[in-house]
Amino acid sequence: MKLTVYFITFASFSLSCLIYTHGKILNFRYISRLRYPKAQEQKCKDLGYDGLAVLNTPEAFNYAIKIANIAHGVYIGIQYKPELGQALWDDGTTFGSDLPFHSPPPFTDPDKSFGRIIWSKKIAVGEAAQARPALCSKYNQTSSESTGSTLSGELQTTSRTVLFVSRILSFQECAVLCGMTSDCRAAEFNSNLFTCTVIGQYTSTGQSANPYVFTYMRQTF
């Protein structure tokens, strides 16, 4: 049985139902006026944001696609860091391995130093060759949106990355943990052992019945 569910997750493990965020949790702002990336970054800060948007979760990326006109490219918060010799998100975090890049990282060319979403709904890193629209965001928010579905039983996987295992009391808290972990793509709650296995990237071949296990399958990019 598969049931679609929506979660807003909080550090205190509170839980609420959600239909749309309307930008209240994913605090982004789309700037339609064309500017070069440094000017767009400063405009974001002038508007009270931390800078150009960091899109390191599936929910953030998919929300950005909804609110931005990406037809001619939109600048986002990826920049080349000379002191590190590579590009990173502007909040200092590295790229998730399943981010939808046009060309895969690492990005080590100082002449291709800014990130943008392109028309194909992929992320590209290149030159600041022309003025474009931009997306702003706040980086250190205490809450995040997580969207996914509930699966009765265990995932059958040919490969998977276990990020961590935690003792926990309920499936809802397990889903909250997944939403708070940017690399989480699924989480299995075992009601017999009271454990939550937080899973990163995986390749699934279906599901296997287990009366004690419920799996939260987070949406992907």
Side-chain angles (χ1 to χ4, degrees):
M1 179 183 71
K2 208 171 186 180
L3 173 65
T4 300
V5 292
Y6 300 87
F7 292 108
I8 300 177
T9 58
F10 297 86
S12 62
F13 293 112
S14 63
L15 180 68
S16 299
C17 289
L18 164 75
I19 299 301
Y20 297 104
T21 64
H22 298 297
K24 294 179 181 178
I25 301 302
L26 294 172
N27 195 348
F28 290 0
R29 177 157 179 167
Y30 174 60
I31 300 176
S32 60
R33 183 174 175 180
L34 307 184
R35 297 182 180 89
Y36 289 92
K38 283 296 185 182
Q40 293 288 32
E41 181 181 32
Q42 186 57 53
K43 182 61 177 178
C44 289
K45 293 177 178 179
D46 292 343
L47 292 169
Y49 291 84
D50 293 318
L52 293 168
V54 171
L55 309 176
N56 56 2
T57 66
E59 293 83 12
F61 181 81
N62 288 316
Y63 184 65
I65 294 296
K66 288 181 182 178
I67 67 172
N69 181 354
I70 63 172
H72 301 291
V74 177
Y75 284 122
I76 57 174
I78 293 175
Q79 292 189 52
Y80 178 82
K81 311 293 182 183
E83 67 279 13
L84 299 175
Q86 63 177 320
L88 296 173
W89 287 113
D90 283 354
D91 66 350
T93 54
T94 57
F95 307 123
S97 56
D98 58 346
L99 275 166
F101 279 108
H102 177 69
S103 298
F107 305 111
T108 58
D109 186 346
D111 293 327
K112 296 180 178 180
S113 54
F114 294 98
R116 67 186 188 275
I117 304 173
I118 60 177
W119 62 271
S120 60
K121 299 182 181 179
K122 293 185 180 294
I123 298 172
V125 176
E127 301 176 14
Q130 65 184 81
R132 303 178 190 275
L135 276 168
C136 310
S137 75
K138 290 184 178 288
Y139 300 158
N140 297 314
Q141 300 179 99
T142 57
S143 59
S144 64
E145 175 199 349
S146 175
T147 304
S149 58
T150 303
L151 181 70
S152 297
E154 296 176 290
L155 283 174
Q156 290 179 338
T157 55
T158 55
S159 65
R160 73 178 190 172
T161 302
V162 175
L163 301 176
F164 59 87
V165 179
S166 180
R167 295 277 294 177
I168 213 153
L169 296 177
S170 69
F171 168 74
Q172 287 85 355
E173 288 177 296
C174 190
V176 167
L177 268 183
C178 183
M180 292 173 61
T181 308
S182 62
D183 292 338
C184 177
R185 298 296 173 262
E188 292 177 346
F189 173 66
N190 188 309
S191 61
N192 187 40
L193 301 175
F194 292 104
T195 58
C196 177
T197 302
V198 178
I199 302 166
Q201 281 198 83
Y202 64 88
T203 301
S204 176
T205 57
Q207 68 182 95
S208 58
N210 187 324
Y212 298 110
V213 174
F214 296 89
T215 301
Y216 176 63
M217 299 177 66
R218 190 175 184 173
Q219 77 170 53
T220 57
F221 289 99

